[in-house]
């Protein structure tokens, strides 16, 4: 129909031309006849084209939503919509594009063009036509989980096209199950796990680096699956409840059912992964379904553009958590915001959020443990633990700024301590050992392929060669080449081209490690070569970090500095005499706030915000800082609070935009401050870590927002002095029992303006009791350094910490990063530490020396055919399977006083406490 409308428009224009030229009536009739004949032929031709959206009603809904988005983004109309004028656009491609445009987040409307999206559509349709399984996939499954180019909040690229070409011959002719397993094996040869920051790299950038966190591994793997037409989605437990962490993995739709697998962690069968056991204990697993989704899974959120679907029942026992919100008089409160929270990283983290119905109720499906329910409306709030039965949990909005009987006012100081119960978990099925061993050989081959690639990364001789060429210090050069991984040649070129600029290395130090790994030289130069220090008196560190640096929050670095320095842009946004006041006025007048439609939370680029004239609040704040820095004005999005700020006359000023103001609030605020001094309780026996043991949260609009001091060094040194906005705060600490259940302590207090308040960070006391889980017989053997001895030999003097690890998997890597944090204390204990790799988990890429910083008494060994592991499992009457790491403490008497499957944060602390308790008794 699109082609017909274009053709009819052409006929009308030609007819007007004929009339104007006074062409004879006979010729006119003949010409019109020919045009009508062609139109008929075209109509018949178009009628034969297949619809991508076969349901007429759904197709009409999509089209209506598409037209709304077209009107909404008029500022980028040509970039986005010119693609619909292409004569080679098929009906199926047009409808697929309309579906994507109708529901895509603002970040995609702001930062990409129609040609990019057409390539994505054509690649998905090509995959469907190439592989046999493409014709078996239902339309709705294909639409939501193959066609869609975005997985989560990653930056977009053309990975789908690249991966298709690499994978098509490898999977062609396989069954759908075999193909899914083969794709994941291929992924292992490209990417492995390593922790990194919260910005999600694009799939091709992850390949270039060769590693990423679980969110990046799963984004990469879903993209690879979709590239060959296998429906896939990223599954995410926002936070574990038994351990301070989270995880993302992948589900694939194969032959009519969804199955799970570990991203870049291949197994010989579907529905296996190290996380299968922990997933039976979690309280939420969810994924985002792009567009209007009509699947049968329960939905935590259903919005016009997307749904957040609840997948927990695929992994764990579930129940419906029913909540009712009432006021002080017991009346139901409709429209209250209800957050379902779990304790993790020393804060209460929201795993789902709803709004109450007219009767004050809401509900979600969750696991079999406790949830903290937090409700608020109109600056009143209430909270409490959910009931573990089917009984409704009633929450009273009894906290707020009203002076009423039975109301806790916002200056009330009090302390609470409570225990959160967690689900017990269930056993999961294993895989035949012989099958694992044989498959392990294929995994080793993929590891070797990745190792060959990483061997091309920069070496010291590359830095020395560049040093000779540029005259710069080779050690400084190598630091940045090494950090840039597969992007090192771009960074080397950047260094080479800017060798004479004294700000070269400070500039590179001011961006993140991930920026070094995935930012092209041209983008770095857009910022480095278009930034002038206009005020010679400005502090150099301030200038480099808050003007010269393109790093503002966790957005992808894009070229925006030269763009905003164009004279017409300067005049439009900042005025003829550029000022912060003018920039704020421009944003208030021209940038519409729309938080709902940027639902993947991927920041829109500053240029995208300018062109769209629309943004979520976070992207707007980044835009503000980018424009200020382009004008030479120091500005930031403050890391701890997320507030936009700028620097003037030796002070930072908060910026409050019109959309966020309370009554009589100024646009530029010198926010009143107070001083908080945190002291470490002498009874703690350790130095509390931020996000490990404690957090601070500030009250705003009915809820407490955790301040992000993870990168603040002073937050780990006591006494700790912090200058904070005056207001109402919550200090939260927590400690986990051996089963992972946390005991939580919260202190609510006021921090008045210009006053100093002292608070003590007190960790909750757990009931310490010595438990003997099993005892060695003395016959158990272990071979270390080619010498075989009884296991008791290594425990006899001061005890033994024994840890079975799978070095290629995420949980084991966590514990190998955790132990160095207690290196000093573990070395003072001086008992033996033995890290054991099961024989079937040893790969070609494994190198014990790559795990640096471990206590000096650490030794490595291999467990042949898992003999020792099986023996210990029998003693403990447990089934280990692949639940690594598996950690034990064995005292000098051979008693097993501790064992844990999977990663437990702070395991070094836990072991030291158990050793101390055993020594006392």
């Amino acid at each position: 129909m699109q082609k017909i409308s274009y053709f009819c428009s052409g006929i009308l224009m030609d007819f007007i031309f004929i009339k104007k030229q006074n062409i004879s009536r006979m010729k006119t009739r003949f010409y019109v006849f020919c045009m009508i004949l062609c139109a008929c032929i075209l109509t018949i031709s178009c009628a034969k084209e297949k619809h991508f959206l076969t349901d007429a009603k759904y197709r009409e809904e999509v089209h209506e939503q598409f037209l709304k988005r077209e009107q909404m983004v008029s500022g980028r109309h040509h970039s986005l919509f010119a693609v619909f004028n292409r004569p080679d656009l098929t009906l199926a491609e047009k409808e697929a594009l309309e579906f994507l445009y109708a529901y895509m987040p603002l970040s995609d409307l702001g930062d990409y063009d129609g040609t990019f999206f057409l390539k994505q559509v054509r690649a998905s349709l090509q995959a469907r036509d190439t592989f046999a399984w493409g014709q078996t996939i239902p339309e709705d499954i294909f639409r939501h989980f193959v066609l869609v180019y975005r997985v989560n909040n990653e930056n977009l690229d053309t990975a789908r096209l690249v991966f298709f070409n690499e994978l098509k011959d490898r999977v062609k002719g396989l069954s759908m199950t075999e193909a899914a397993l083969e794709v994941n094996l291929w992924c292992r040869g490209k990417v492995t796990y390593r922790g990194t920051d919260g910005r999600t790299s694009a799939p091709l950038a992850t390949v270039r680096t060769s590693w990423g966190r679980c969110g990046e591994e799963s984004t990469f793997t879903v993209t690879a699956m979709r590239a060959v037409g296998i429906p896939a989605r990223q599954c995410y437990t926002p936070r574990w409840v038994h351990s301070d962490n989270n995880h993302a993995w992948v589900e694939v739709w194969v032959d009519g059912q969804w199955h799970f697998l570990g991203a870049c962690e291949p197994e010989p069968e579907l529905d296996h992964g190290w996380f299968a056991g922990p997933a039976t204990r979690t309280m939420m697993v969810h994924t985002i379904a792009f567009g209007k989704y009509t699947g049968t899974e329960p939905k935590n959120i259903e919005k016009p553009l997307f749904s957040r679907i609840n997948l927990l029942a695929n992994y764990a026992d579930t129940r419906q958590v029913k909540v009712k919100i009432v006021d002080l008089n017991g009346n139901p409160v409709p429209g209250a915001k209800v957050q379902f929270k779990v304790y993790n990283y020393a804060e209460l983290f929201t795993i789902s959020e709803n709004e109450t119905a007219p009767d004050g109720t809401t509900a979600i499906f969750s696991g079999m443990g406790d949830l903290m329910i937090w409700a608020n409306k109109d600056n009143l709030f209430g909270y409490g633990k959910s009931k573990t039965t089917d009984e409704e949990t009633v929450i009273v909005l009894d906290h707020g700024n009203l002076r009423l009987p039975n109301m806790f006012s916002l200056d009330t100081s009090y302390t609470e301590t409570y225990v959160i119960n967690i689900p017990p978990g269930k056993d999961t099925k294993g895989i035949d050992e012989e099958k694992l061993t044989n498959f392990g050989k294929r995994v080793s081959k993929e590891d070797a392929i990745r190792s060959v690639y990483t061997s091309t990364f920069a070496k010291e001789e590359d830095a020395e060669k560049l040093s000779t060429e540029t005259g710069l210090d080779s050690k400084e050069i190598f630091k940045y080449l090494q950090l840039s991984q597969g992007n090192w040649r771009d960074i080397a070129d950047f260094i080479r081209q800017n060798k004479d600029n004294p700000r070269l290395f400070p500039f590179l130090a001011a961006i993140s490690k991930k920026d070094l790994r995935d930012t092209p030289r041209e983008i770095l130069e857009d910022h480095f070569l278009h930034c002038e220090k206009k005020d010679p008196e400005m502090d150099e560190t301030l200038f480099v970090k808050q003007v010269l640096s393109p790093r503002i929050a966790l957005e992808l670095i894009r070229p925006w500095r030269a763009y905003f320095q164009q004279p017409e842009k300067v005049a439009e946004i900042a005025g003829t005499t550029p000022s912060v006041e003018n920039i704020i006025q421009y944003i208030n007048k021209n940038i519409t706030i729309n938080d709902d439609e940027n639902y993947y939370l991927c920041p829109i680029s500053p240029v995208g915000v300018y062109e769209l004239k629309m943004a979520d609040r976070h992207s707007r704040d980044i835009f503000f800082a980018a424009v200020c820095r382009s004008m030479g004005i120091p500005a930031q999005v403050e890391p701890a609070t997320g507030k936009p700020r700028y620097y003037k006359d030796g002070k930072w000023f908060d910026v409050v935009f019109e959309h966020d103001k309370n009554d009589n609030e100024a646009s530029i605020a010198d926010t009143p401050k107070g001083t908080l001094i945190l002291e470490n309780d002498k009874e703690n026996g350790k130095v509390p870590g931020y996000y490990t043991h404690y957090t601070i949260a500030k009250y705003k609009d009915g809820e407490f927002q955790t301040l992000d001091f993870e990168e603040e060094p002073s937050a780990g040194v006591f006494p700790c002095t912090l200058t904070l906005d005056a207001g109402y705060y919550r200090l939260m600490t927590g400690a986990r029992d051996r089963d992972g259940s946390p005991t939580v302590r919260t202190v609510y207090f006021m921090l008045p303006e210009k006053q100093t308040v002292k608070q003590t960070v007190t960790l909750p006391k757990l009931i310490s009791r010595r438990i003997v889980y099993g005892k060695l017989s003395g016959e158990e053997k272990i071979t270390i350094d080619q010498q075989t001895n009884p296991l008791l030999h290594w425990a006899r003097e001061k005890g033994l910490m024994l840890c079975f690890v799978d070095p290629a998997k995420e949980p084991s890597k966590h514990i190998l990063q955790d132990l160095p944090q207690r290196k000093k204390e573990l070395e003072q204990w001086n008992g033996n530490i033995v890290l054991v790799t099961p024989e079937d988990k040893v790969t070609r890429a494994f190198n014990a020396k790559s795990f640096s910083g471990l206590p000096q008494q650490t030794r490595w060994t291999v467990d042949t055919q898992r003999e020792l592991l099986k023996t210990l499992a029998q003693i403990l009457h447990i089934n280990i399977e692949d639940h690594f790491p598996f950690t034990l403490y064995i005292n000098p008497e051979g008693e097993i006083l501790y064992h844990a499957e999977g990663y437990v944060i702070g395991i070094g602390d836990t072991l030291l406490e158990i050793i101390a308790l055993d020594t006392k008794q």
Side-chain angles (χ1 to χ4, degrees):
M1 293 303 295
Q2 184 83 20
K3 291 180 179 178
I4 294 171
S5 65
Y6 293 148
F7 191 83
C8 291
S9 298
I11 289 176
L12 179 60
M13 296 302 294
D14 287 346
F15 186 74
I16 293 171
F17 174 78
I18 290 169
K19 296 291 287 182
K20 286 183 177 179
Q21 298 298 316
N22 198 24
I23 297 173
S24 70
R25 183 175 297 178
M26 183 63 72
K27 288 183 178 179
T28 300
R29 286 176 178 173
F30 178 75
Y31 187 75
V32 170
F33 170 77
C34 290
M35 288 191 290
I36 293 172
L37 179 62
C38 291
C40 291
I41 294 171
L42 184 59
T43 301
I44 294 170
S45 174
C46 288
K48 292 181 180 179
E49 286 196 69
K50 291 183 178 180
H51 285 288
F52 176 74
L53 303 172
T54 58
D55 184 293
K57 183 179 178 182
Y58 189 90
R59 186 166 65 243
E60 185 59 31
E61 288 180 15
V62 169
H63 185 66
E64 288 178 6
Q65 178 65 21
F66 166 79
L67 294 177
K68 290 179 184 176
R69 304 305 288 294
E70 185 177 15
Q71 291 179 346
M72 187 182 77
V73 296
S74 57
R76 300 199 75 236
H77 193 276
H78 180 76
S79 297
L80 287 166
F81 295 94
V83 69
F84 287 93
N85 298 327
R86 291 180 58 139
D88 61 339
L89 192 70
T90 68
L91 179 63
E93 290 169 351
K94 171 186 172 292
E95 290 179 359
L97 277 173
E98 284 201 0
F99 172 76
L100 295 179
Y101 278 49
Y103 301 111
M104 67 176 57
L106 289 180
S107 57
D108 302 351
L109 290 170
D111 289 327
Y112 305 91
D113 61 24
T115 301
F116 174 85
F117 295 118
L118 179 58
K119 287 179 180 178
Q120 301 291 325
V121 167
R122 287 180 169 169
S124 67
L125 297 178
Q126 181 186 18
R128 184 175 65 178
D129 295 340
T130 299
F131 304 105
W133 54 79
Q135 306 309 312
T136 70
I137 302 170
E139 181 183 314
D140 60 334
I141 296 293
F142 183 88
R143 182 173 65 233
H144 294 283
F145 303 111
V146 177
L147 170 70
V148 175
Y149 53 87
R150 177 174 285 288
V151 179
N152 200 326
N153 61 348
E154 76 277 12
N155 306 300
L156 302 179
D157 60 20
T158 56
R160 186 199 293 262
L161 286 69
V162 176
F163 295 171
F164 174 83
N165 288 326
E166 287 201 34
L167 283 164
K168 61 181 179 181
D169 293 334
R170 184 162 174 166
V171 300
K172 211 166 186 178
L174 299 179
S175 71
M176 205 171 183
T177 296
E178 291 169 338
L181 294 171
E182 192 67 26
V183 169
N184 200 26
L185 193 61
W186 173 86
C187 289
R188 173 60 169 260
K190 299 288 186 180
V191 176
T192 189
Y193 176 81
R194 193 184 301 179
T196 181
D197 68 34
R199 175 167 70 81
T200 304
S201 289
L204 290 177
T206 304
V207 171
R208 188 181 307 120
T209 298
S210 83
W211 50 265
R213 55 181 168 77
C214 61
E216 289 166 321
E217 287 182 299
S218 51
T219 295
F220 163 68
T221 303
V222 169
T223 302
M225 294 289 180
R226 292 180 182 178
V228 293
I230 297 175
R233 58 195 185 190
Q234 182 190 58
C235 300
Y236 189 57
T237 181
R239 292 289 189 272
W240 296 120
V241 291
H242 68 284
S243 175
D244 291 312
N245 215 315
N246 60 5
H247 192 53
W249 59 90
V250 174
E251 282 188 351
V252 290
W253 187 94
V254 172
D255 300 329
Q257 288 186 313
W258 287 101
H259 300 268
F260 69 81
L261 52 83
C264 304
E265 297 175 336
E267 301 285 355
E269 297 175 4
L270 295 174
D271 297 321
H272 288 276
W274 66 262
F275 54 88
T280 67
R281 308 182 71 185
T282 193
M283 297 294 285
M284 181 57 62
V285 177
H286 62 214
T287 191
I288 288 180
F290 179 109
K292 184 177 180 181
Y293 181 65
T294 57
T296 58
E297 302 96 331
K299 298 181 177 71
N300 289 342
I301 298 174
E302 187 171 16
K303 297 282 188 179
L305 302 186
F306 75 101
S307 296
R308 192 179 298 279
I309 56 179
N310 187 332
L311 305 176
L312 183 61
N314 293 353
Y315 302 92
D317 294 334
T318 65
R319 64 189 176 94
Q320 191 174 39
V321 180
K322 304 171 188 175
V323 177
K324 184 172 185 178
I325 310 304
V326 299
D327 62 20
L328 282 171
N329 297 317
N331 301 313
V333 179
K337 180 179 179 180
V338 180
Q339 296 170 312
F340 299 85
K341 295 175 177 283
V342 298
Y343 174 86
N344 195 287
Y345 284 130
E347 65 173 346
L348 294 177
F349 185 87
T350 301
I351 61 169
S352 189
E353 183 178 301
N354 285 349
E355 191 173 285
T356 53
D359 63 354
T361 64
T362 187
I364 64 163
F365 287 96
S366 187
M368 306 304 290
D370 292 339
L371 289 173
M372 287 299 295
I373 313 298
W374 192 280
N376 73 85
K377 185 179 181 182
D378 299 332
N379 214 26
L380 300 176
F381 70 91
Y383 60 92
K385 275 201 302 184
S386 65
K387 296 186 181 298
T388 54
T389 64
D390 290 337
E391 187 181 351
E392 189 175 68
T393 300
V394 178
I395 302 294
V396 182
L397 299 186
D398 56 359
H399 294 67
N401 52 7
L402 301 179
R403 298 291 180 178
L404 297 173
N406 301 319
M407 174 72 73
F408 290 85
S409 65
L410 294 186
D411 58 1
T412 305
S413 297
Y414 62 100
T415 301
E416 294 177 320
T417 301
Y418 48 88
V419 176
I420 297 179
N421 298 300
I422 63 175
K426 299 186 297 184
D427 289 336
T428 56
K429 61 181 181 179
I431 300 177
D432 178 72
E433 284 187 32
E434 184 178 353
K435 197 171 188 178
L436 277 172
T437 301
N438 292 334
F439 190 75
K441 296 174 184 177
R442 297 196 67 200
V443 174
S444 294
K445 184 178 178 181
E446 296 298 331
D447 286 339
I449 291 171
R450 191 180 62 255
S451 294
V452 169
Y453 167 67
T454 58
S455 69
T456 66
F457 291 178
K459 301 175 180 61
E460 289 189 56
E461 51 263 37
D462 296 304
E464 290 168 0
K465 182 178 178 181
L466 187 55
S467 174
T468 301
E469 182 182 343
T470 61
L472 299 171
D473 181 67
S474 63
K475 291 183 179 179
E476 195 74 3
I477 291 174
F478 184 58
K479 178 172 74 174
Y480 293 107
L481 295 189
Q482 190 175 39
L483 288 171
S484 57
Q485 304 281 287
N487 196 43
W488 74 271
R489 290 180 177 85
D490 268 51
I491 300 303
D493 284 345
F494 179 76
I495 291 172
R496 186 178 292 110
Q497 294 296 323
N498 299 282
K499 59 184 174 60
D500 296 324
N501 193 318
R503 294 196 178 104
L504 170 63
F505 290 131
F507 173 81
L508 292 175
I511 61 177
S512 74
K513 295 176 182 178
K514 185 172 285 183
D515 297 334
L516 291 168
R517 297 195 297 268
D518 67 5
T519 309
R521 174 181 62 84
E522 295 81 5
I523 293 179
L524 292 176
E525 288 183 344
D526 171 80
H527 296 282
F528 195 61
L529 302 179
H530 295 91
C531 188
E532 180 184 350
K533 188 175 182 180
K534 297 181 178 180
D535 178 6
E537 300 300 318
M538 184 184 297
D539 177 78
E540 182 66 12
T541 299
L542 176 70
F543 171 75
V544 170
K545 289 186 176 181
Q546 310 300 346
V547 180
L548 177 62
S549 174
R551 166 58 49 227
I552 296 172
L554 279 180
E555 77 287 4
L556 176 71
I557 293 180
R558 296 178 185 266
W560 43 258
R561 199 179 300 265
Y563 182 88
F564 290 124
Q565 288 176 354
Q566 298 174 76
E568 66 275 15
K569 297 290 191 302
V570 174
E572 178 189 3
I573 300 173
T576 53
T577 304
S579 69
V580 171
E581 290 79 6
N582 289 341
I583 296 170
I584 294 171
Q585 185 178 6
Y586 173 86
I587 291 173
N588 285 334
K589 183 178 179 181
N590 295 282
I591 307 300
T592 301
I593 293 300
N594 188 335
D595 289 317
D596 291 339
E597 297 204 16
N598 204 29
Y599 55 92
Y600 276 107
L601 305 181
C602 183
I604 311 167
S605 74
V607 173
V609 171
Y610 172 79
E611 292 183 349
L612 274 182
K613 299 294 187 287
M614 182 178 293
D616 58 284
R617 283 172 167 79
H618 184 56
S619 297
R620 174 207 59 194
D621 296 344
I622 293 172
F623 171 77
F624 164 78
V627 170
C628 285
R629 292 186 186 188
S630 298
M631 310 298 166
I633 302 168
Q636 65 171 193
V637 176
E638 205 277 323
T641 63
K643 289 183 178 182
R645 307 197 302 176
Y646 79 99
Y647 190 85
K648 183 180 180 181
D649 298 332
K651 294 177 66 175
W652 284 101
F653 292 88
D654 295 332
V655 173
V656 184
F657 295 104
E658 202 67 42
H659 319 89
D660 306 328
K661 280 186 180 179
N662 296 319
D663 294 340
N664 302 317
E665 193 170 8
S667 295
I668 298 175
D670 182 8
T671 306
K673 306 288 184 184
T675 300
L676 175 64
I677 298 177
L678 297 176
E679 297 178 333
N680 186 16
D681 192 322
K682 294 179 181 178
E683 298 297 317
N684 288 339
K686 67 184 73 171
V687 178
Y690 202 81
Y691 280 131
T692 303
H693 303 104
Y694 82 99
T695 56
I696 305 162
K698 185 178 186 298
Y699 179 82
K700 182 181 179 182
D701 299 332
E703 55 191 275
F704 283 86
Q705 299 174 357
T706 301
L707 304 181
D708 187 358
F709 286 123
E710 184 174 17
E711 301 299 326
E712 176 56 52
S714 64
V717 179
F718 293 87
C720 168
T721 301
L722 300 170
T723 300
L724 304 175
D725 294 349
Y728 195 42
Y729 284 86
R730 180 180 68 199
L731 170 63
M732 179 169 288
T733 58
R736 291 188 182 274
D737 210 336
R738 296 186 192 183
D739 67 349
S741 57
T743 300
V744 182
R745 183 177 188 269
T746 55
V747 180
Y748 294 85
F749 64 94
M750 274 296 297
L751 179 63
E753 179 183 357
K754 297 180 180 179
Q755 292 190 30
T756 297
V757 171
K758 290 185 178 181
Q759 290 289 342
T760 301
V761 177
T762 300
L763 303 183
K765 296 293 184 289
L766 301 176
I767 299 174
S768 298
R769 48 198 184 96
R770 186 176 180 276
I771 303 173
V772 179
Y773 294 98
K775 187 169 183 177
L776 303 184
S777 66
E779 299 299 319
E780 301 83 7
K781 306 288 185 181
I782 188 170
T783 300
I784 299 175
D785 298 332
Q786 300 181 338
Q787 292 187 1
T788 302
N789 289 293
L791 193 59
L792 267 173
H793 168 80
W794 296 97
R796 190 168 294 139
E797 292 186 15
K798 294 189 176 181
L800 167 67
M801 173 190 161
L802 192 66
C803 185
F804 292 82
V805 296
D806 180 352
K809 294 289 178 69
E810 178 182 338
S812 294
K813 290 182 179 181
H814 276 305
I815 198 170
L816 293 171
Q817 293 166 0
D818 193 13
L819 289 177
Q821 297 178 23
R822 289 292 176 262
K823 183 178 190 304
K824 179 181 177 181
E825 293 86 349
L826 289 169
E827 287 179 348
Q828 288 173 346
W829 160 58
N830 202 30
N832 286 304
I833 299 173
V834 179
L835 301 175
V836 186
T837 305
E839 184 180 27
D840 56 285
K841 299 301 180 182
V842 178
T843 67
R844 296 182 193 176
F846 171 65
N847 180 6
K849 294 180 180 179
S850 65
F851 298 101
S852 59
L854 293 167
Q856 63 181 2
Q857 70 265 42
T858 304
R859 291 175 172 84
W860 287 85
T861 191
V862 174
D863 185 13
T864 304
Q865 297 183 352
R866 299 195 179 196
E867 291 180 356
L868 180 59
L869 182 63
K870 292 174 186 175
T871 300
L872 292 170
Q874 289 175 353
I875 292 172
L876 295 167
H877 305 290
I878 59 175
N879 180 22
I880 300 298
E881 295 294 347
D882 271 10
H883 301 161
F884 300 115
F886 175 50
T887 309
L888 307 93
Y889 171 69
I890 304 169
N891 73 1
E893 288 73 41
E895 297 171 326
I896 301 173
L897 302 184
Y898 175 83
H899 69 92
E901 300 173 45
Y903 171 63
V904 180
I905 196 170
I907 198 163
D909 287 337
T910 302
L911 289 166
L912 288 166
E913 289 169 4
I914 290 169
I915 291 166
L917 180 65
D918 184 48
T919 302
K920 289 178 182 178
Q921 297 182 357

